[in-house]
Amino acid sequence: MLKRINYISSFVQDMSDDEIEELARQAAKKNAENDITGVLMARGGVFFQIIEGPEENIDRLFTTILKDPRHEKIITLGIQIGDLQRLFLGWNMKAINLDTTLSERLQPVRAIIDAVHAQSAIIETLTEALAASAWAELLDLTTKE
Ligand SMILES: Cc1cc2nc3c(=O)[nH]c(=O)nc-3n(C[C@H](O)[C@H](O)[C@H](O)COP(=O)(O)O)c2cc1C
């Protein structure tokens, strides 16, 4: 049983190319021991990461990642589980800094990450608004029905 998680998060403070490379280098070393593969992209202060591997190992890693003080506003975009084919076979954690990798061929990837980030910011704001304002009214409605 393989599990794959995609998420987006924001840097807590600026990270250099070297710091991102070092983060991915250490991650790759640990991931190799845990049969985990994936990719870590950075773009305009935003991380987009995909991790895939045995369910238990992915759950353990994601719990650790959630607590990492280097990023915040972590939003899970997708979780898949089952008889999956690995997408990143051979990459224990490949870092791609889209701000410093100037290849034109990566332009669509930059655009997608920008769009996902913009959407997730909207979802976050709407969810906060819902949580802050709606409960009393919702409860009121359901008790009257
Ligand atoms: C954006 C981001 C992605 C990360 N990805 C991984 C990863 O794929 N594998 C990993 O072992 N650690 C990853 N880390 C680092 C972990 O959060 C943690 O620092 C590391 O696993 C060391 O944990 P430990 O000190 O408990 O062994 C990532 C951190 C960040 C901020």
Side-chain angles (χ1 to χ4, degrees), residues 7 23 27 30-31 40 47 49 61 64-65 68 70-71 93:
Y7 73 85
L23 190 165
K30 245 184 100 180
N31 290 350
L40 176 67
F47 283 119
Q49 189 177 32
L61 171 61
T64 308
I65 288 176
D68 196 303
R70 287 170 286 188
H71 65 169
M93 193 44 60

Side-chain angles (χ1 to χ4, degrees), residues 3-4 29 82 113 135 139:
K3 187 165 187 173
R4 181 182 304 123
K29 210 169 133 199
I113 292 180
W135 300 124
L139 287 173

